[in-house]
Amino acid sequence: MASVRQVNIAIIGAGGVGKCFLSQLEQLAKRRPEPKLALVYISTSKKAIYNKDYASIGLDSAIASLASASEAPLAPSALADYLNGSSSKAIIVDNTSSQDVADAYPLFLSRGISVVTPNKKAFSGSYKLWQDIFQASAKSGARVFHESSVGAGLPVISTLKDLVETGDEVTKIEGVFSGTMSFLFNSFAPTSGSGGKWSAEVKKAKELGYTEPDPRDDLNGLDVARKLTILARLAGLEVESPTSFPVQSLIPKELESVASGDEFLEKLPAFDAQMEETKAGAEKEGKVVRFVGSIDVASKQVKVGLEKFDRSHPIAALKGSDNIISFYTKRYGSNPLIIQGAGAGGEVTAMGVTSDLLKVLSQLS
């Protein structure tokens, strides 16, 4: 079998994760000269750079070149045509959270172009899109990997796949799937000491960069619901969407429609009593409250929301903004397989993407 000499890389998205990935790709290309990793396309939502003759774009200068570019990004079908115009194998790295890009995965895969991505929307959107993605991959032989769509660089998806594919029976998955929620509750309801007021902790989390620009995008629980949807599907449940099971929002109803994140933070202190009551209720039982997601595979129950835990429980004892995911399976019995560590951040998210790229490279022939 002839070895693959060059692999063309197309990167969509050059924000925080995209920049970290580019840096890791540059190091990878130096460490592994074979096959040659040629960056032939890179785009943001507004601009793109590529050469019609597939000449490589310098990895060290790509971001600067992109900033001064005048070309518009190619539409998905045109990008697929461009990549298929070369005799080299191609991999698309989607570092966005774009639904439009996610919707194009079946097209890319059907054209023999592999995809690696942290984009949750591709795998937590409609169940039909999920089926279309994996059917297109199976038919063409092109690969699709999305480790960083849950838990950034933590080996959550690969572990679950290994459990399922080796015939273990996953009975339950439970954990803290949001770095934002982890930080908030570890500060608001610590295992020792009293913690701060809820609104003050939300404000502090935003100032430290742990929340989205509008904290409601974290507090509505949808980010966690998307991750649970992905894991439930991998465990064999046909979950239709992230809104098809109970998701507890921590946004007071009265503040759901305020105009901005700043106005939300300004008005949040008036609702501190609600969260204080929840915290006090847990303390009376000698417990702490945490925002968790759980999947009960046998009963097909998926839910996201507040739960109470003994102070000695691994979920209660988390520090900082760490994630923790527990897999309860037949083989592991009453002691779950636990994965814990940083579940957010550009470098660790990009690490998961780079790891997926290596998986694709190892399977190309």
Side-chain angles (χ1 to χ4, degrees):
M1 190 182 290
S3 64
V4 176
R5 303 206 166 196
Q6 177 168 315
V7 176
N8 289 341
I9 309 286
I11 298 175
I12 305 173
V17 174
K19 287 187 177 79
C20 292
F21 171 73
L22 257 178
S23 170
Q24 291 180 22
L25 180 63
E26 189 180 352
Q27 296 305 312
L28 179 66
K30 287 174 185 168
R31 287 198 312 275
R32 291 178 52 133
E34 289 281 326
K36 183 188 175 193
L37 302 177
L39 178 64
V40 298
Y41 178 92
I42 182 168
S43 69
T44 63
S45 58
K46 304 264 190 323
K47 298 176 171 186
I49 46 173
Y50 58 97
N51 297 305
K52 291 189 168 54
D53 63 355
Y54 303 96
S56 289
I57 300 159
L59 293 170
D60 56 349
S61 59
I63 295 296
S65 302
L66 194 56
S68 58
S70 55
E71 290 266 2
L74 293 174
S77 58
L79 177 56
D81 288 344
Y82 169 68
L83 293 173
N84 280 152
S86 164
S87 59
S88 296
K89 298 266 188 181
I91 302 170
I92 285 176
V93 182
D94 172 22
N95 290 315
T96 74
S97 58
S98 162
Q99 186 67 58
D100 289 340
V101 179
D103 289 342
Y105 289 2
L107 166 69
F108 296 141
L109 292 161
S110 69
R111 302 283 296 276
I113 302 163
S114 295
V115 175
V116 297
T117 182
N119 188 346
K120 287 186 278 291
K121 289 182 181 165
F123 308 96
S124 63
S126 75
Y127 192 66
K128 183 179 185 308
L129 177 59
W130 168 277
Q131 290 175 307
D132 288 349
I133 287 169
F134 289 102
Q135 283 168 4
S137 170
K139 197 169 177 184
S140 73
R143 305 294 178 175
V144 56
F145 291 108
H146 57 107
E147 184 66 76
S148 284
S149 64
V150 179
L154 295 176
V156 177
I157 285 175
S158 51
T159 299
L160 178 55
K161 278 184 174 176
D162 286 346
L163 291 170
V164 171
E165 289 171 9
T166 59
D168 199 354
E169 187 183 323
V170 179
T171 54
K172 184 181 178 183
I173 303 169
E174 179 181 57
V176 173
F177 294 87
S178 161
T180 305
M181 292 299 203
S182 180
F183 179 82
L184 277 173
F185 281 92
N186 295 339
S187 304
F188 171 65
T191 50
S192 60
S194 58
K197 294 282 186 193
W198 175 248
S199 58
E201 295 299 349
V202 174
K203 188 167 184 281
K204 182 170 79 175
K206 187 190 177 211
E207 286 166 356
L208 290 171
Y210 284 113
T211 75
E212 294 293 331
D214 186 336
R216 287 175 295 180
D217 292 337
D218 295 295
L219 298 177
N220 63 13
L222 187 59
D223 176 65
V224 176
R226 285 193 180 282
K227 295 169 185 173
L228 267 283
T229 300
I230 294 168
L231 296 181
R233 288 172 176 176
L234 290 170
L237 301 185
E238 294 185 9
V239 176
E240 180 49 44
S241 76
T243 56
S244 63
F245 52 85
V247 179
Q248 182 179 359
S249 171
L250 300 185
I251 305 167
K253 282 217 174 340
E254 298 88 338
L255 301 185
E256 283 177 349
S257 57
V258 297
S260 67
D262 288 339
E263 187 184 346
F264 169 75
L265 285 175
E266 196 181 298
K267 293 183 172 175
L268 189 58
F271 300 89
D272 277 344
Q274 295 174 8
M275 290 299 287
E276 284 297 328
E277 198 178 313
T278 302
K279 177 162 78 170
E283 283 173 352
K284 275 180 191 163
E285 299 175 37
K287 298 184 177 185
V288 291
V289 67
R290 294 290 183 262
F291 193 84
V292 300
S294 65
I295 302 164
D296 188 309
V297 180
S299 66
K300 301 184 178 178
Q301 298 292 308
V302 184
K303 62 178 180 175
V304 173
L306 295 173
E307 301 278 352
K308 292 179 278 194
F309 293 92
D310 289 328
R311 292 171 191 275
S312 59
H313 194 286
I315 284 177
L318 274 185
K319 299 284 183 257
S321 59
D322 276 6
N323 284 190
I324 184 169
I325 296 94
S326 303
F327 293 105
Y328 293 84
T329 79
K330 197 168 181 182
R331 287 184 191 143
Y332 279 85
S334 58
N335 291 323
L337 168 58
I338 293 175
I339 296 170
Q340 181 179 337
E347 288 292 349
V348 289
T349 302
M351 182 195 87
V353 179
T354 304
S355 172
D356 281 347
L357 177 68
L358 286 167
K359 285 176 195 162
V360 176
L361 293 174
S362 73
Q363 294 172 18
L364 288 179
S365 59

